[in-house]
Amino acid sequence: AVVAFVDDSMRLFHEEQFGPVVPVGKFDDLRAVVDAAKKSWSGQQVSIFTQHDSKSAATLIDALSTIVGRANLNLQCQRGPDSLPFSGRRSSAMGTMSVYDAIRAFSVEVVIATHPDDADLVTEIEANSNLLAPDYAAD
């Protein structure tokens, strides 16, 4: 659903949407857009639509880059953690998520140091160790 003429007096203007709804607000100038974004508690994505105004789009991208985790140019907001990192700011989707990042977040990094003469021993340990297994298959 597309909801037009959404303004700051409406609940939809302030709440993060998780359904098939696109609130469309009208702003008189770029400063008003940035000010509205700064007042928001969420900061996952923004979509900027323009045909030929690259200067205004660049101004918005620069100003919003510390407020939102993703800026979409002539694209709707979307989720694509398998192809692009999915990040947020403020109280919304804190941090960066992708398949790679999720595996790293739930992994324990460790350094195993060995003597150069122990190459055969290392190969045997790797074959028998769940920690050093090169794949993520569960037993």
Side-chain angles (χ1 to χ4, degrees):
V2 176
V3 182
F5 309 111
V6 175
D7 63 38
D8 66 353
S9 70
M10 303 167 81
R11 186 174 160 189
L12 186 59
F13 185 88
H14 300 281
E15 292 188 3
E16 191 170 24
Q17 295 83 44
F18 289 97
V21 62
V22 178
V24 178
K26 182 180 177 186
F27 296 90
D28 293 327
D29 58 50
L30 298 180
R31 181 83 261 155
V33 174
V34 175
D35 289 344
K38 285 182 177 179
K39 290 177 187 174
S40 175
W41 63 270
S42 61
Q44 283 190 358
Q45 299 184 50
V46 64
S47 289
I48 301 166
F49 292 91
T50 184
Q51 289 182 336
H52 303 290
D53 191 356
S54 60
K55 184 176 180 185
S56 293
T59 298
L60 284 174
I61 288 170
D62 290 348
L64 297 173
S65 65
T66 59
I67 299 172
V68 298
R70 177 176 171 161
N72 301 291
L73 186 57
N74 292 335
L75 294 169
Q76 75 277 10
C77 291
Q78 51 194 308
R79 185 174 186 272
D82 295 335
S83 57
L84 294 171
F86 183 75
S87 63
R89 303 281 190 275
R90 301 171 174 207
S91 296
S92 179
M94 298 294 288
T96 300
M97 291 295 291
S98 68
V99 172
Y100 175 79
D101 292 316
I103 290 171
R104 285 190 51 135
F106 293 105
S107 298
V108 176
E109 294 183 45
V110 63
V111 174
I112 309 296
T114 63
H115 190 277
D117 293 340
D118 290 330
D120 291 336
L121 178 60
V122 170
T123 302
E124 290 175 27
I125 292 172
E126 286 177 340
N128 293 295
S129 171
N130 289 326
L131 177 67
L132 300 177
D135 60 19
Y136 300 103
D139 289 335

